[in-house]
Amino acid sequence: MSKTVTVEVGLGARAYDILIGPGLLAGAGETVSARLPGARVAIVTDGNVAASHLETLKSGLERGGVTVAAAVTLPAGEKTKSFEHLQEVVDAVLGARLERRDAVVALGGGVIGDLTGFAAGIVRRGMDFVQVPTSLLAQVDSSVGGKTGINSARGKNLIGVFHQPKLVLADSGVLDTLPIREFRAGYAELAKYGLIDRPAFFAWLEKNWQEVFEGGDARIEAIAEACRAKADVVARDEFETGDRALLNLGHTFGHALEAATAYDGTRLVHGEGVSIGMVLAHRFSARLNLASPDDAARVEAHLKAVGLPTSVADIPGELPGPEKLFDYITQDKKVSRGALTFILTRGIGRSFIAKDVPASEVVAFLRDSLE
Ligand code: GLY
């Protein structure tokens, strides 16, 4: 019988627990009322997640004495991170007359978590909120650490606030219903923590990834270790003035590839971009003589074994040339005196923030990678 693992995010007065295990939706009432006594809640979710999990969560909350005052079901997909849907959530929360010490509950993946957290951050100048992430990516990354927000026509996640949840319920059982492609994409973010600074975790994943995909205790342990890694970084650098940027390993190349494919999820989803991006970050580090090419080969072999794309050639359809890809990188990042900041590595689990990466080296590397 699998047990629940608790990981604490150590933020002093704003510290909170991440619970990881099966059956947490059904037991949500007791868990929430123990931490937020007397709170009424509004649940925010999307159409896909609602069909599978809304009733389980609602009755789980009500069985434990938590009143569900409203439930808002939004369209699934990235476009939902908009002012229009933010307003819908805000109106629903205010319409249900929730007070500051009541709570908004985000039931869904990263889109729902980010939007709901932002709504909770601005209604009544900051309400309590609970994350109930239902994708692997949200369980190991976006539900932890308090980054919330919506997209602007000028770019993703440009409007938002840091607002920490009071509790994260990562129900490992809900992942059983995820499409395999989405599970794999989340796995890329899971492996990322091993590559940043937990080499033993990466080696463990190389041995145990099949069990992680199958479910059970190995999956719980992998999610817990990823959450410990994220909680450590967030506790050190909540507002990303330093080390938190390490969490962007693979994301510079990954975001550029997502932009180059016009965010068309049939060609590339975020975690797949991160998978290719992490291989490129290791290859680029080897090219700059910072790391051994054997490490890049090892990263590529593992991500390939789990079925993730690992090279730009794995993306279906045409891609723009190296100069255009570099343009996408600089939409995300400032070039200062011909240099950029990148997350590079000295080997598996030895990532670091490199502040003076010459733009010319990046373009030359992209040219070779696209050949
Ligand atoms: N997903 C990156 C961060 O939370 O900082």
Side-chain angles (χ1 to χ4, degrees), residues 141 144 147 230 240 244 247-248:
D141 185 17
V144 177
K147 279 191 181 173
K230 178 134 191 195
E240 200 169 315
R244 187 163 178 167
L247 300 176
N248 296 332

Side-chain angles (χ1 to χ4, degrees), residues 203-214:
W204 183 87
L205 287 173
E206 287 177 307
K207 278 211 197 77
N208 297 289
W209 68 269
Q210 271 142 323
E211 282 82 355
V212 175
F213 275 68
E214 277 158 23

Side-chain angles (χ1 to χ4, degrees), residues 138-158:
Q139 294 195 352
V140 299
D141 185 17
S142 59
S143 68
V144 177
K147 279 191 181 173
T148 75
I150 58 173
N151 298 330
S152 146
R154 294 174 192 277
K156 285 174 80 171
N157 298 323
L158 292 182

Side-chain angles (χ1 to χ4, degrees), residues 173-191:
V174 303
L175 303 181
D176 291 339
T177 55
L178 272 193
I180 182 70
R181 186 173 172 203
E182 210 184 312
F183 190 89
R184 278 198 194 108
Y187 185 91
E189 296 276 5
L190 186 70

